[in-house]
Amino acid sequence: MSDRTWPNRSETSHFLTLPFPTKKTPTTNHQFKSHNPIDLRRLRSCSRRPESSGRRDFADLPNDVLTKIAANFSLPNLQAASLVCRSWRDGLRPLREAMVFLRWGKRFKHGRGGVKASLEKALDSFLKGAARGSTLAMVDAGLVYWEMGRKEEGVALYRRAAELGDAAGMCNLGISYLQAEPPNMKEAVKWLYRASVAGYVRGQYQLALCLHRGGGTNQNLSDAAKWYLRAAEGGYVRAMYNVSLCYSLGMGVSQNHRQSRKWMKHAADHGHRKAQFEHGLALFSEGQMMKAVVYLELAGRGGETAAAHVKDVILQQLSPPSRERALSLADTWRALPSSR
């Protein structure tokens, strides 16, 4: 996967990091569980209020309304909501069934849980989950359609999920507008903004790229830097790297080399190969030879060919035990967990 994340007008594509990711789990992939943790005591209290109070009982909600409210719930919150009252338990049954189809769809897609990988079977399972109202299944089905080249069908599912409040659906719908012929920047920014305010870090990063590049929308470097920072604070590695560049160049923020160095190290520690290269160079310039070798070795393993030459120069200046120690540290290094 390319780490070229800084907008470049000489590139032919509108963005450099648009491929949809392979998703891992229903909750972390969408990065959108439910709006807030469910307070069962509060809900049960509300549902027991007498009709004379003038308030409707939560149990009176029509099933179609209840399903829309809970369409983007993760399994734990769906199970919690099902405990509120018998009416909710019955009304949310289709969404609980959808979670089963969602789980099987992921098994078929990735060949996990003792089953052979099959996109067709994965799509069938995801569509069954989507038919029961789950936005998580809608987005997964849309991703499979996209991988199959059936983009219109994928976009239709993204739109359904987005209109039900799913942030991953909003983000993917926004990106689909960027990849349309011709691109529709206005609609793309609209949906990416909605995903961003919902806290979806990939949407925040893509929105920042749009604002940074300008193009079909007005360039706004200060807002771009703000959304890069929001995504970086949420664990999005590419945003960490871009935040470092913003502080280094004074682009959208006041120039601050200390903050630039901080975010470059964060990106490097989370596995961004360009950040590892640049952080290694910074360490070299400060005389921290062994640490520099570790980061340059990691960058080289990630594909940064220029890192190997600098690393070899430093190794010649180290004693044999120091060389062995530095390379051993690189062998045992593990990237910090991140959103992407």
mmCIF file of all heavy atoms in Angstrom, residues 23-54:
data_model
loop_
_atom_site.group_PDB
_atom_site.id
_atom_site.type_symbol
_atom_site.label_atom_id
_atom_site.label_comp_id
_atom_site.label_asym_id
_atom_site.label_seq_id
_atom_site.Cartn_x
_atom_site.Cartn_y
_atom_site.Cartn_z
ATOM 1 N N LYS A 23 -11.302 -4.928 5.445
ATOM 2 C CA LYS A 23 -11.817 -4.650 6.772
ATOM 3 C C LYS A 23 -11.642 -5.855 7.665
ATOM 4 O O LYS A 23 -11.649 -6.983 7.232
ATOM 5 C CB LYS A 23 -13.273 -4.248 6.671
ATOM 6 C CG LYS A 23 -13.412 -2.969 5.870
ATOM 7 C CD LYS A 23 -14.803 -2.740 5.444
ATOM 8 C CE LYS A 23 -15.668 -2.443 6.616
ATOM 9 N NZ LYS A 23 -17.043 -2.258 6.259
ATOM 10 N N LYS A 24 -11.497 -5.611 8.962
ATOM 11 C CA LYS A 24 -11.097 -6.666 9.874
ATOM 12 C C LYS A 24 -12.244 -7.164 10.736
ATOM 13 O O LYS A 24 -12.486 -8.349 10.822
ATOM 14 C CB LYS A 24 -9.955 -6.176 10.768
ATOM 15 C CG LYS A 24 -8.715 -5.825 9.950
ATOM 16 C CD LYS A 24 -7.620 -5.316 10.855
ATOM 17 C CE LYS A 24 -6.390 -4.926 10.040
ATOM 18 N NZ LYS A 24 -5.337 -4.355 10.876
ATOM 19 N N THR A 25 -12.918 -6.267 11.379
ATOM 20 C CA THR A 25 -14.004 -6.676 12.255
ATOM 21 C C THR A 25 -15.157 -5.724 12.080
ATOM 22 O O THR A 25 -14.980 -4.593 11.636
ATOM 23 C CB THR A 25 -13.564 -6.670 13.734
ATOM 24 O OG1 THR A 25 -13.292 -5.330 14.103
ATOM 25 C CG2 THR A 25 -12.352 -7.549 13.957
ATOM 26 N N PRO A 26 -16.380 -6.144 12.430
ATOM 27 C CA PRO A 26 -17.528 -5.260 12.213
ATOM 28 C C PRO A 26 -17.384 -3.924 12.892
ATOM 29 O O PRO A 26 -17.762 -2.919 12.359
ATOM 30 C CB PRO A 26 -18.692 -6.071 12.817
ATOM 31 C CG PRO A 26 -18.235 -7.478 12.769
ATOM 32 C CD PRO A 26 -16.744 -7.445 12.936
ATOM 33 N N THR A 27 -16.785 -3.902 14.093
ATOM 34 C CA THR A 27 -16.746 -2.628 14.806
ATOM 35 C C THR A 27 -15.551 -1.802 14.411
ATOM 36 O O THR A 27 -15.671 -0.646 14.107
ATOM 37 C CB THR A 27 -16.755 -2.867 16.321
ATOM 38 O OG1 THR A 27 -15.664 -3.716 16.665
ATOM 39 C CG2 THR A 27 -18.047 -3.508 16.742
ATOM 40 N N THR A 28 -14.317 -2.412 14.335
ATOM 41 C CA THR A 28 -13.151 -1.608 14.040
ATOM 42 C C THR A 28 -13.111 -1.198 12.594
ATOM 43 O O THR A 28 -12.587 -0.161 12.258
ATOM 44 C CB THR A 28 -11.863 -2.368 14.386
ATOM 45 O OG1 THR A 28 -11.842 -3.586 13.648
ATOM 46 C CG2 THR A 28 -11.798 -2.648 15.863
ATOM 47 N N ASN A 29 -13.645 -2.015 11.691
ATOM 48 C CA ASN A 29 -13.603 -1.646 10.288
ATOM 49 C C ASN A 29 -14.419 -0.420 10.021
ATOM 50 O O ASN A 29 -14.034 0.448 9.264
ATOM 51 C CB ASN A 29 -14.147 -2.776 9.421
ATOM 52 C CG ASN A 29 -13.200 -3.933 9.434
ATOM 53 O OD1 ASN A 29 -12.024 -3.729 9.662
ATOM 54 N ND2 ASN A 29 -13.703 -5.112 9.203
ATOM 55 N N HIS A 30 -15.590 -0.391 10.613
ATOM 56 C CA HIS A 30 -16.455 0.766 10.363
ATOM 57 C C HIS A 30 -16.121 1.909 11.295
ATOM 58 O O HIS A 30 -16.474 3.033 11.057
ATOM 59 C CB HIS A 30 -17.918 0.367 10.549
ATOM 60 C CG HIS A 30 -18.339 -0.651 9.546
ATOM 61 N ND1 HIS A 30 -18.668 -0.317 8.258
ATOM 62 C CD2 HIS A 30 -18.439 -1.993 9.619
ATOM 63 C CE1 HIS A 30 -18.991 -1.415 7.588
ATOM 64 N NE2 HIS A 30 -18.843 -2.429 8.406
ATOM 65 N N GLN A 31 -15.443 1.586 12.373
ATOM 66 C CA GLN A 31 -15.067 2.593 13.355
ATOM 67 C C GLN A 31 -16.292 3.380 13.806
ATOM 68 O O GLN A 31 -16.259 4.548 14.096
ATOM 69 C CB GLN A 31 -14.007 3.538 12.801
ATOM 70 C CG GLN A 31 -12.721 2.807 12.460
ATOM 71 C CD GLN A 31 -11.781 3.697 11.740
ATOM 72 O OE1 GLN A 31 -12.181 4.497 10.905
ATOM 73 N NE2 GLN A 31 -10.508 3.590 12.029
ATOM 74 N N PHE A 32 -17.405 2.706 13.826
ATOM 75 C CA PHE A 32 -18.650 3.399 14.161
ATOM 76 C C PHE A 32 -19.553 2.376 14.816
ATOM 77 O O PHE A 32 -20.179 1.585 14.147
ATOM 78 C CB PHE A 32 -19.272 3.909 12.863
ATOM 79 C CG PHE A 32 -20.456 4.806 13.089
ATOM 80 C CD1 PHE A 32 -20.285 6.105 13.524
ATOM 81 C CD2 PHE A 32 -21.729 4.353 12.855
ATOM 82 C CE1 PHE A 32 -21.369 6.931 13.711
ATOM 83 C CE2 PHE A 32 -22.816 5.183 13.033
ATOM 84 C CZ PHE A 32 -22.618 6.476 13.468
ATOM 85 N N LYS A 33 -19.593 2.355 16.121
ATOM 86 C CA LYS A 33 -20.348 1.321 16.797
ATOM 87 C C LYS A 33 -21.789 1.762 16.936
ATOM 88 O O LYS A 33 -22.652 1.379 16.187
ATOM 89 C CB LYS A 33 -19.715 1.021 18.145
ATOM 90 C CG LYS A 33 -18.262 0.514 17.990
ATOM 91 C CD LYS A 33 -17.644 0.276 19.339
ATOM 92 C CE LYS A 33 -16.196 -0.199 19.196
ATOM 93 N NZ LYS A 33 -15.549 -0.400 20.478
ATOM 94 N N SER A 34 -22.079 2.570 17.885
ATOM 95 C CA SER A 34 -23.383 3.192 17.996
ATOM 96 C C SER A 34 -23.125 4.605 18.476
ATOM 97 O O SER A 34 -22.018 4.959 18.842
ATOM 98 C CB SER A 34 -24.270 2.431 18.984
ATOM 99 O OG SER A 34 -23.743 2.546 20.278
ATOM 100 N N HIS A 35 -24.129 5.424 18.475
ATOM 101 C CA HIS A 35 -23.901 6.827 18.818
ATOM 102 C C HIS A 35 -23.330 6.968 20.223
ATOM 103 O O HIS A 35 -22.399 7.705 20.466
ATOM 104 C CB HIS A 35 -25.196 7.615 18.689
ATOM 105 C CG HIS A 35 -25.742 7.575 17.291
ATOM 106 N ND1 HIS A 35 -25.068 8.136 16.238
ATOM 107 C CD2 HIS A 35 -26.860 7.011 16.799
ATOM 108 C CE1 HIS A 35 -25.781 7.946 15.123
ATOM 109 N NE2 HIS A 35 -26.854 7.269 15.453
ATOM 110 N N ASN A 36 -23.901 6.253 21.182
ATOM 111 C CA ASN A 36 -23.431 6.330 22.557
ATOM 112 C C ASN A 36 -23.722 4.997 23.225
ATOM 113 O O ASN A 36 -24.635 4.271 22.820
ATOM 114 C CB ASN A 36 -24.163 7.440 23.329
ATOM 115 C CG ASN A 36 -23.751 8.811 22.854
ATOM 116 O OD1 ASN A 36 -22.599 9.199 22.979
ATOM 117 N ND2 ASN A 36 -24.701 9.536 22.287
ATOM 118 N N PRO A 37 -22.959 4.656 24.279
ATOM 119 C CA PRO A 37 -23.306 3.457 25.036
ATOM 120 C C PRO A 37 -24.727 3.560 25.567
ATOM 121 O O PRO A 37 -25.201 4.629 25.939
ATOM 122 C CB PRO A 37 -22.282 3.468 26.176
ATOM 123 C CG PRO A 37 -21.147 4.294 25.664
ATOM 124 C CD PRO A 37 -21.787 5.332 24.777
ATOM 125 N N ILE A 38 -25.418 2.442 25.609
ATOM 126 C CA ILE A 38 -26.828 2.452 25.994
ATOM 127 C C ILE A 38 -26.957 2.360 27.517
ATOM 128 O O ILE A 38 -26.373 1.490 28.153
ATOM 129 C CB ILE A 38 -27.562 1.272 25.335
ATOM 130 C CG1 ILE A 38 -27.537 1.465 23.817
ATOM 131 C CG2 ILE A 38 -28.981 1.158 25.835
ATOM 132 C CD1 ILE A 38 -28.074 0.294 23.071
ATOM 133 N N ASP A 39 -27.668 3.276 28.103
ATOM 134 C CA ASP A 39 -27.935 3.285 29.537
ATOM 135 C C ASP A 39 -29.241 2.535 29.762
ATOM 136 O O ASP A 39 -30.332 3.076 29.603
ATOM 137 C CB ASP A 39 -28.049 4.730 30.036
ATOM 138 C CG ASP A 39 -28.155 4.792 31.556
ATOM 139 O OD1 ASP A 39 -28.579 3.788 32.159
ATOM 140 O OD2 ASP A 39 -27.822 5.850 32.112
ATOM 141 N N LEU A 40 -29.129 1.254 30.117
ATOM 142 C CA LEU A 40 -30.320 0.411 30.236
ATOM 143 C C LEU A 40 -31.232 0.890 31.360
ATOM 144 O O LEU A 40 -32.451 0.843 31.231
ATOM 145 C CB LEU A 40 -29.901 -1.035 30.496
ATOM 146 C CG LEU A 40 -29.216 -1.750 29.316
ATOM 147 C CD1 LEU A 40 -28.890 -3.170 29.717
ATOM 148 C CD2 LEU A 40 -30.136 -1.736 28.102
ATOM 149 N N ARG A 41 -30.641 1.356 32.464
ATOM 150 C CA ARG A 41 -31.495 1.808 33.574
ATOM 151 C C ARG A 41 -32.348 2.985 33.161
ATOM 152 O O ARG A 41 -33.529 3.073 33.500
ATOM 153 C CB ARG A 41 -30.618 2.182 34.764
ATOM 154 C CG ARG A 41 -29.967 0.972 35.431
ATOM 155 C CD ARG A 41 -29.030 1.397 36.539
ATOM 156 N NE ARG A 41 -27.948 2.215 36.023
ATOM 157 C CZ ARG A 41 -27.014 2.764 36.777
ATOM 158 N NH1 ARG A 41 -27.045 2.598 38.096
ATOM 159 N NH2 ARG A 41 -26.044 3.490 36.244
ATOM 160 N N ARG A 42 -31.750 3.893 32.386
ATOM 161 C CA ARG A 42 -32.501 5.075 31.940
ATOM 162 C C ARG A 42 -33.621 4.668 30.988
ATOM 163 O O ARG A 42 -34.750 5.148 31.081
ATOM 164 C CB ARG A 42 -31.555 6.062 31.268
ATOM 165 C CG ARG A 42 -32.244 7.305 30.750
ATOM 166 C CD ARG A 42 -31.210 8.285 30.204
ATOM 167 N NE ARG A 42 -31.847 9.458 29.636
ATOM 168 C CZ ARG A 42 -32.270 9.537 28.387
ATOM 169 N NH1 ARG A 42 -32.146 8.508 27.585
ATOM 170 N NH2 ARG A 42 -32.831 10.639 27.933
ATOM 171 N N LEU A 43 -33.283 3.774 30.052
ATOM 172 C CA LEU A 43 -34.295 3.364 29.080
ATOM 173 C C LEU A 43 -35.439 2.616 29.749
ATOM 174 O O LEU A 43 -36.604 2.816 29.424
ATOM 175 C CB LEU A 43 -33.650 2.494 28.008
ATOM 176 C CG LEU A 43 -32.704 3.224 27.041
ATOM 177 C CD1 LEU A 43 -32.057 2.231 26.102
ATOM 178 C CD2 LEU A 43 -33.464 4.277 26.257
ATOM 179 N N ARG A 44 -35.091 1.719 30.690
ATOM 180 C CA ARG A 44 -36.141 0.972 31.372
ATOM 181 C C ARG A 44 -37.018 1.903 32.207
ATOM 182 O O ARG A 44 -38.230 1.735 32.276
ATOM 183 C CB ARG A 44 -35.503 -0.099 32.260
ATOM 184 C CG ARG A 44 -35.001 -1.296 31.461
ATOM 185 C CD ARG A 44 -34.206 -2.239 32.317
ATOM 186 N NE ARG A 44 -33.861 -3.454 31.582
ATOM 187 C CZ ARG A 44 -32.826 -4.214 31.865
ATOM 188 N NH1 ARG A 44 -32.032 -3.896 32.866
ATOM 189 N NH2 ARG A 44 -32.586 -5.301 31.162
ATOM 190 N N SER A 45 -36.379 2.907 32.797
ATOM 191 C CA SER A 45 -37.145 3.881 33.571
ATOM 192 C C SER A 45 -38.116 4.622 32.681
ATOM 193 O O SER A 45 -39.275 4.828 33.037
ATOM 194 C CB SER A 45 -36.180 4.858 34.261
ATOM 195 O OG SER A 45 -36.891 5.882 34.890
ATOM 196 N N CYS A 46 -37.601 5.018 31.491
ATOM 197 C CA CYS A 46 -38.475 5.738 30.560
ATOM 198 C C CYS A 46 -39.613 4.856 30.090
ATOM 199 O O CYS A 46 -40.747 5.299 29.937
ATOM 200 C CB CYS A 46 -37.658 6.225 29.361
ATOM 201 S SG CYS A 46 -36.496 7.542 29.765
ATOM 202 N N SER A 47 -39.301 3.573 29.842
ATOM 203 C CA SER A 47 -40.333 2.694 29.291
ATOM 204 C C SER A 47 -41.407 2.365 30.318
ATOM 205 O O SER A 47 -42.476 1.901 29.958
ATOM 206 C CB SER A 47 -39.686 1.394 28.781
ATOM 207 O OG SER A 47 -39.145 0.656 29.850
ATOM 208 N N ARG A 48 -41.136 2.613 31.607
ATOM 209 C CA ARG A 48 -42.138 2.310 32.626
ATOM 210 C C ARG A 48 -42.967 3.527 33.012
ATOM 211 O O ARG A 48 -43.830 3.450 33.873
ATOM 212 C CB ARG A 48 -41.434 1.748 33.877
ATOM 213 C CG ARG A 48 -40.872 0.352 33.689
ATOM 214 C CD ARG A 48 -40.532 -0.266 35.044
ATOM 215 N NE ARG A 48 -39.484 0.484 35.717
ATOM 216 C CZ ARG A 48 -38.196 0.183 35.631
ATOM 217 N NH1 ARG A 48 -37.815 -0.838 34.885
ATOM 218 N NH2 ARG A 48 -37.294 0.891 36.284
ATOM 219 N N ARG A 49 -42.699 4.672 32.394
ATOM 220 C CA ARG A 49 -43.462 5.862 32.769
ATOM 221 C C ARG A 49 -44.941 5.663 32.435
ATOM 222 O O ARG A 49 -45.285 5.189 31.357
ATOM 223 C CB ARG A 49 -42.946 7.081 32.010
ATOM 224 C CG ARG A 49 -41.614 7.584 32.545
ATOM 225 C CD ARG A 49 -41.194 8.813 31.775
ATOM 226 N NE ARG A 49 -39.955 9.356 32.272
ATOM 227 C CZ ARG A 49 -38.932 9.671 31.513
ATOM 228 N NH1 ARG A 49 -38.989 9.471 30.215
ATOM 229 N NH2 ARG A 49 -37.823 10.174 32.030
ATOM 230 N N PRO A 50 -45.817 6.049 33.314
ATOM 231 C CA PRO A 50 -47.253 5.896 33.034
ATOM 232 C C PRO A 50 -47.685 6.810 31.901
ATOM 233 O O PRO A 50 -47.114 7.868 31.676
ATOM 234 C CB PRO A 50 -47.918 6.308 34.363
ATOM 235 C CG PRO A 50 -46.909 7.200 35.033
ATOM 236 C CD PRO A 50 -45.569 6.654 34.647
ATOM 237 N N GLU A 51 -48.700 6.377 31.152
ATOM 238 C CA GLU A 51 -49.184 7.155 30.017
ATOM 239 C C GLU A 51 -49.702 8.513 30.462
ATOM 240 O O GLU A 51 -49.708 9.471 29.702
ATOM 241 C CB GLU A 51 -50.278 6.387 29.288
ATOM 242 C CG GLU A 51 -49.733 5.132 28.604
ATOM 243 C CD GLU A 51 -50.804 4.452 27.776
ATOM 244 O OE1 GLU A 51 -51.890 5.036 27.636
ATOM 245 O OE2 GLU A 51 -50.560 3.348 27.276
ATOM 246 N N SER A 52 -50.104 8.605 31.724
ATOM 247 C CA SER A 52 -50.637 9.875 32.204
ATOM 248 C C SER A 52 -49.577 10.963 32.243
ATOM 249 O O SER A 52 -49.888 12.128 32.372
ATOM 250 C CB SER A 52 -51.232 9.694 33.607
ATOM 251 O OG SER A 52 -50.234 9.236 34.507
ATOM 252 N N SER A 53 -48.297 10.550 32.175
ATOM 253 C CA SER A 53 -47.233 11.547 32.206
ATOM 254 C C SER A 53 -47.182 12.333 30.907
ATOM 255 O O SER A 53 -46.474 13.329 30.815
ATOM 256 C CB SER A 53 -45.874 10.859 32.427
ATOM 257 O OG SER A 53 -45.536 10.072 31.296
ATOM 258 N N GLY A 54 -47.888 11.870 29.869
ATOM 259 C CA GLY A 54 -47.880 12.574 28.590
ATOM 260 C C GLY A 54 -46.753 12.130 27.673
ATOM 261 O O GLY A 54 -46.609 12.651 26.578
#
